[in-house]
Amino acid sequence: MRDAPGAGTVDPMADLTAPAPVESINADFFDDPHARYRRWRAEGPVHRVRFPDDVVRWVVVGYPEAKIALADPRFRKDAGQLSAILHSKRDTTATDPNIVALLSHMLGTDPPAHTRLRKLVNKAFTARQVALLRPRIEQITASLLDALGDRDEVDLMSDFANPLPVTVICELLGVPFEDRADFQAWTKALVTVVGEGEEDERPAASAAMVGYLAKLVRAKQSEPAEDLLSELVLADDEGDRLTDQELVSMAFLLLVAGHETTVNLIGNGVLALLRNPGQWQALRADPTGVPAAIEEFLRFDGPVDMATARYTAEPVTLGGTEIPADEIVYVALSAANRDPARFAAPDTLATDTPTAGHLAFGHGIHFCVGAPLARVEADIAFTALLQRFPDLSLSPAADLHWQTSTLIRGLLELPVRLR
C-alpha cells in the first residue's frame, strides 16, 4: 500500500518551538524542488523562506500540517488583504489594481463570497457534465497526434501537452483559440518568479489580461453563445448574478487553471513514465491502469508546486511553530505529497500501487473545481499516447528545464522520440 505506517498521527500543535532560520529560494530550486523539500522536512514541517523578491514568507512542507492549512479558516485567501500585506513587507503602499482584480475570484476569496461564487460555477464541472465532453476531447487528441505525422522527434509540450487542454478550455469557455499565444504569454509573466532588481512584467501582463477578458465579457453580454462564459454571464441564482469584475476574475481563473494544470499533468506524467520505462510498458500492456496511474503522477510530481497564497488572520500554531498574524503562507503541495509520514517510498514512482489522499488538487473548500476535467483529459491523453506511440522515449539530447515558478511545476520543453 502507498500509505506509510502511522500516517496522519502527527500532532501539528505539539511542542511549540522558535522559528527555524530563514531559508532562501534561489535559481537551482526550480529544477529540483524535491531535494530542497526533503531537507526542509527533515528539519520540521513549517519554515520561514526568503523568496527571490526578498520577501520572507512561510512554507508548509509536512503532509498533516498542509492538510490543516488548506482547510483551516484562520488561513485566509482574500486577494485584497493579501496584496496589502505583501506591499507592507516590501515597504510600499503601491498596489496593482489589475492583479487584485484578476485574483479576486473564488480561489482568492473566503466565505461567504467564496460560497456564492463557487455555487454559480460548480454545476459546469460535475463528473456528469465533464463526461459529456469526452467525445470532443478524444477528437482533439486524435487530431493532434495525427498532426505529428511521420516525424521521429517532437517537443511533446508544444506539440501535444499544451494545445490539447488549451483547445478544450477555449472551446468550453468560448475563448478564441487564435488568441492563445497572447493569454499564455500573459499567464507566464504572471506566474514567473521575479527576483529583486529584475524587470517585473506582471503589471503590463495583468493590464493586458484584464483588458482582453473585459472585452470578451462584453461580447458575451451582447451576443451570448453556447459556452460556459456566456452561461456565467447569464447565470442567475435567485436574483444573484456575477458583476462585470467578478466575470473577469472568474474567466481568468477558469482560463488559466483550466489549461495550466492539465498541460503539466501530462508533461510531468510522461516524463516520469519515460524515466521508469518498466511502468510505461506495464501501462501499454494494460491501459485500464491509466486512471490509477494519473493519481500517482499527481502525487509524484503534480502540476502545482505551492498552492496559491494564504495569510494568517491571527497567530496560528502549526507543526510546533507559531506563525504570527498577517503573515503570508504557502502550502507546498509537492512537498506534502512526498512526505514519508504519509506515503511509503514517496520518492519512487509506483503507478501500480493505490495512491489515496494526495493533495495535488488541494483540500477543503478550495479543492480544484476543474479536477474532473483534468482527470478526463489526462486519461484520454495517456491512453492515446500509449496506443499510438508504444515505443515513445526521451530524446537522448534532451536538456530539460522547468518553469521558474513556485506555483506551476512544469517543463519548458519535453523532446521525445516517437518511434
Side-chain angles (χ1 to χ4, degrees):
M1 295 292 291
R2 171 61 68 181
D3 291 1
T9 61
V10 175
D11 180 1
M13 304 303 178
D15 301 324
L16 181 64
T17 59
V22 175
E23 297 277 357
S24 294
I25 288 177
N26 47 29
D28 66 356
F29 172 87
F30 302 102
D31 279 347
D32 187 11
H34 299 293
R36 191 75 60 90
Y37 291 147
R38 281 192 294 272
R39 180 167 63 80
W40 289 357
R41 259 197 323 268
E43 298 170 356
V46 180
H47 291 265
R48 296 170 68 226
V49 176
R50 188 178 304 281
F51 280 57
D53 63 357
D54 205 37
V55 172
V56 174
R57 299 161 173 87
W58 296 74
V59 178
V60 181
V61 297
Y63 181 93
E65 296 77 17
K67 200 167 183 180
I68 288 171
L70 290 169
D72 191 322
R74 293 176 298 175
F75 293 93
R76 296 191 180 168
K77 300 277 286 180
D78 180 81
Q81 182 62 20
L82 263 169
S83 178
I85 292 172
L86 177 59
H87 285 288
S88 72
K89 293 181 180 299
R90 289 175 173 164
D91 295 325
T92 174
T93 57
T95 59
D96 186 335
N98 289 314
I99 289 181
V100 174
L102 289 176
L103 298 181
S104 297
H105 44 63
M106 62 187 180
L107 191 57
T109 54
D110 301 303
H114 169 270
T115 309
R116 168 180 166 268
L117 293 173
R118 181 128 184 170
K119 185 178 180 181
L120 287 166
V121 75
N122 250 353
K123 63 181 181 179
F125 291 96
T126 63
R128 183 177 180 180
Q129 286 298 113
V130 169
L132 298 176
L133 300 174
R134 179 176 280 272
R136 177 56 182 148
I137 299 172
E138 290 174 338
Q139 185 181 43
I140 295 168
T141 300
S143 177
L144 289 169
L145 295 181
D146 287 344
L148 299 182
D150 296 326
R151 294 157 63 189
D152 291 325
E153 290 199 10
V154 300
D155 175 8
L156 202 70
M157 297 304 295
S158 63
D159 291 328
F160 181 68
N162 189 294
L164 171 57
V166 171
T167 304
V168 172
I169 200 64
C170 282
E171 290 189 2
L172 182 62
L173 286 176
V175 175
F177 182 70
E178 56 269 23
D179 295 341
R180 67 192 182 282
D182 288 334
F183 68 71
Q184 286 193 295
W186 301 328
T187 298
K188 183 177 180 181
L190 290 170
V191 303
T192 296
V193 167
V194 180
E196 189 178 18
E198 294 180 353
E199 182 180 357
D200 191 351
E201 298 179 357
R202 290 173 297 182
S206 63
M209 184 74 89
V210 167
Y212 173 78
L213 293 175
K215 181 179 179 181
L216 190 62
V217 165
R218 288 194 297 271
K220 301 298 181 183
Q221 289 170 330
S222 299
E223 296 184 34
E226 293 185 2
D227 55 60
L228 179 55
L229 189 51
S230 294
E231 289 181 17
L232 291 174
V233 165
L234 300 173
D236 190 323
D237 182 44
E238 297 180 355
D240 183 19
R241 302 184 70 166
L242 293 170
T243 66
D244 287 359
Q245 180 173 319
E246 288 171 338
L247 285 166
V248 167
S249 61
M250 187 71 81
F252 172 72
L253 172 64
L254 297 177
L255 181 60
V256 174
H259 79 267
E260 277 287 352
T261 51
T262 311
V263 166
N264 297 302
L265 169 54
I266 295 170
N268 297 0
V270 169
L271 177 62
L273 278 181
L274 297 184
R275 285 176 167 172
N276 295 270
Q279 296 185 55
W280 172 273
Q281 298 299 333
L283 285 175
R284 188 181 74 175
D286 182 13
T288 62
V290 167
I294 289 168
E295 300 307 309
E296 174 65 348
F297 302 149
L298 287 162
R299 181 205 68 81
F300 181 74
D301 211 2
V304 177
D305 185 3
M306 298 185 189
T308 51
R310 289 161 165 77
Y311 69 92
T312 47
E314 59 188 78
V316 180
T317 301
L318 186 67
T321 296
E322 182 176 279
I323 305 175
D326 295 328
E327 291 290 322
I328 300 173
V329 179
Y330 282 85
V331 179
L333 304 180
S334 294
N337 284 335
R338 291 202 187 187
D339 188 344
R342 177 61 179 81
F343 301 102
D347 294 318
T348 300
L349 183 75
T351 56
D352 58 348
T353 302
T355 297
H358 69 73
L359 301 176
F361 288 125
H363 174 67
I365 63 171
H366 293 291
F367 184 86
C368 178
V369 71
L373 178 59
R375 284 178 166 126
V376 166
E377 287 180 289
D379 180 32
I380 293 168
F382 280 99
T383 300
L385 281 171
L386 288 159
Q387 292 174 344
R388 189 75 69 95
F389 302 111
D391 298 318
L392 191 75
S393 63
L394 190 63
S395 171
D399 182 20
L400 302 178
H401 296 283
W402 298 79
Q403 294 189 46
T404 54
S405 171
T406 55
L407 174 63
I408 299 301
R409 172 69 177 158
L411 291 158
L412 294 177
E413 65 288 310
L414 181 55
V416 297
R417 284 185 171 176
L418 299 177
R419 298 169 181 84

